[in-house]
């Protein structure tokens, strides 16, 4: 049952809004950017003195974050719904366990139809203290570059005028950092059983003048690609391994001039 606030009743549940994954990278004053946190999505419901925490799949997390519950109980609001990410558990001194990025309901007001900037202003006015923290907007023209440089999972881009939709929306975009590296092929192994062409590519990367062995790549090939690769590699055959550093290099391999980059 909800709690009557005179004008509206706080609901027992709200569907969380989800971001859409995108390969786009852009800067636009109509959008704001936040760090993408690697945690558990949590909706916090405060009804009178009672605080409950729920996962996006409606699993109770109240007992997992007692310090968060205790902090939210102190807020002077009889009806409150917050959305955020839990990144800790059982209280970590000096660190946030619950990172709040949206407020969906406050006393008798359903804030979901209101634009994001307005909801953020209301969120900013809440007296949150650790282990609860407020997620702040990132500054700079290319926040995703900072995210990838500092090893974050990525960033979330949000339209400043967007209402809170209880579904996956293109008004929120998820820009993930993906680790990648160019490697050079220095050899390959023989195919086994019914496989044709080659078994795995032996790849490495340059460390100064050394070609350091990085490992094997043996998946993601269809029959045509395996045969095409074998033809190309046979034309680059050499007698000795081009790798001069690294461990785990197979004893029995076919070696090639390191000219093919993957």
């Amino acid at each position: 049952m909800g709690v009557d606030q005179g004008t509206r009743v706080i609901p027992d549940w709200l569907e969380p809004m989800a971001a859409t994954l995108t390969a786009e990278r852009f800067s636009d004053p109509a959008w704001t950017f936040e760090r993408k946190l690697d945690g558990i999505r949590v909706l916090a419901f405060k009804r009178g003195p009672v605080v409950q925490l729920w996962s996006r799949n409606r699993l109770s997390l109240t007992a997992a974050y007692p310090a968060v519950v205790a902090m939210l109980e102190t807020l002077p609001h009889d009806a409150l719904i917050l959305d955020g990410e839990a990144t800790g558990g059982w209280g970590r001194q000096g660190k946030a366990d619950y990172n709040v990025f949206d407020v969906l309901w406050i006393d008798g007001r359903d804030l979901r139809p209101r634009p994001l900037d307005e909801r953020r202003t209301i969120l900013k006015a809440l007296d949150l203290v650790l282990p609860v923290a407020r997620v702040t907007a990132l500054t700079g023209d290319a926040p995703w570059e900072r995210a990838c440089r500092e090893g974050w999972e990525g960033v979330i881009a949000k339209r400043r005028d967007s209402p809170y939709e209880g579904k996956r929306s293109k008004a929120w975009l998820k820009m993930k950092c993906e680790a990648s590296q160019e490697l050079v092929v220095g050899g390959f192994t023989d195919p086994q059983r019914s496989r044709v062409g080659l078994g795995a590519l032996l790849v490495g990367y340059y460390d100064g003048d050394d070609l350091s062995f990085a490992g094997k790549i043996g998946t993601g090939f269809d029959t045509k690609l395996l045969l095409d690769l074998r033809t190309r590699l046979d034309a680059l055959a050499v007698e000795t391994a081009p790798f001069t550093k690294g461990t785990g290099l197979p004893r029995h391999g076919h070696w090639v001039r390191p000219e093919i980059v993957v």
Side-chain angles (χ1 to χ4, degrees):
M1 296 295 293
V3 176
D4 191 349
Q5 297 300 321
T7 56
R8 301 205 181 191
V9 176
I10 182 174
D12 293 318
W13 175 251
L14 295 178
E15 288 296 328
M17 185 170 178
T20 299
L21 182 63
T22 181
E24 289 185 81
R25 301 292 184 267
F26 62 88
S27 295
D28 189 325
W31 292 74
T32 183
F33 300 83
E34 301 171 0
R35 178 174 178 173
K36 185 180 185 303
L37 298 170
D38 185 14
I40 302 170
R41 187 75 172 271
V42 173
L43 292 177
F45 290 73
K46 184 177 189 292
R47 300 179 179 86
V50 178
V51 172
Q52 293 178 306
L53 306 180
W54 298 94
S55 75
R56 66 188 308 162
N57 297 319
R58 300 195 70 171
L59 298 175
S60 177
L61 298 173
T62 306
Y65 301 94
V68 170
V69 171
M71 190 276 120
L72 296 179
E73 287 174 344
T74 68
L75 295 176
H77 299 283
D78 289 329
L80 189 66
I81 302 177
L82 304 175
D83 190 3
E85 197 91 357
T87 52
W90 294 101
R92 300 172 300 157
Q93 187 172 2
K95 296 184 179 180
D97 288 330
Y98 186 39
N99 302 271
V100 181
F101 52 70
D102 219 326
V103 54
L104 315 183
W105 195 284
I106 190 164
D107 296 327
R109 298 174 59 195
D110 182 355
L111 301 178
R112 289 173 294 173
R114 308 309 305 160
L116 174 63
D117 273 354
E118 182 177 330
R119 300 197 307 274
R120 275 189 167 167
T121 298
I122 295 170
L123 176 61
K124 189 175 181 180
L126 295 180
D127 188 18
L128 303 179
V129 297
L130 291 177
V132 180
R134 188 180 297 104
V135 176
T136 58
L138 298 173
T139 58
D141 293 332
W144 55 89
E145 291 182 1
R146 175 188 172 189
C148 297
R149 183 174 63 251
E150 297 187 11
W152 301 353
E153 188 176 343
V155 298
I156 303 292
K158 299 178 178 179
R159 283 197 61 90
R160 294 181 180 274
D161 61 357
S162 61
Y164 189 94
E165 305 172 79
K167 62 180 182 179
R168 190 169 301 281
S169 171
K170 291 185 178 180
W172 289 11
L173 298 176
K174 180 166 48 179
M175 301 177 179
K176 297 186 71 173
C177 292
E178 297 178 347
S180 62
Q181 182 176 5
E182 286 191 346
L183 299 171
V184 63
V185 180
F188 60 94
T189 61
D190 285 317
Q192 302 295 319
R193 300 182 181 88
S194 61
R195 191 171 174 115
V196 298
L198 56 89
L201 297 176
L202 305 176
V203 297
Y205 58 92
Y206 281 102
D207 182 7
D209 293 330
D210 288 302
L211 181 60
S212 184
F213 178 64
K216 303 177 182 179
I217 301 175
T219 59
F221 307 117
D222 59 22
T223 298
K224 182 178 184 303
L225 181 56
L226 286 168
L227 293 173
D228 288 346
L229 279 171
R230 180 61 185 260
T231 299
R232 292 179 63 189
L233 292 168
D234 282 344
L236 299 173
V238 294
E239 291 294 323
T240 58
F243 302 104
T244 54
K245 289 180 64 177
T247 60
L249 189 66
R251 288 186 177 181
H252 304 291
H254 301 272
W255 314 116
V256 300
R257 293 196 305 274
E259 296 181 7
I260 297 178
V261 176
V262 296

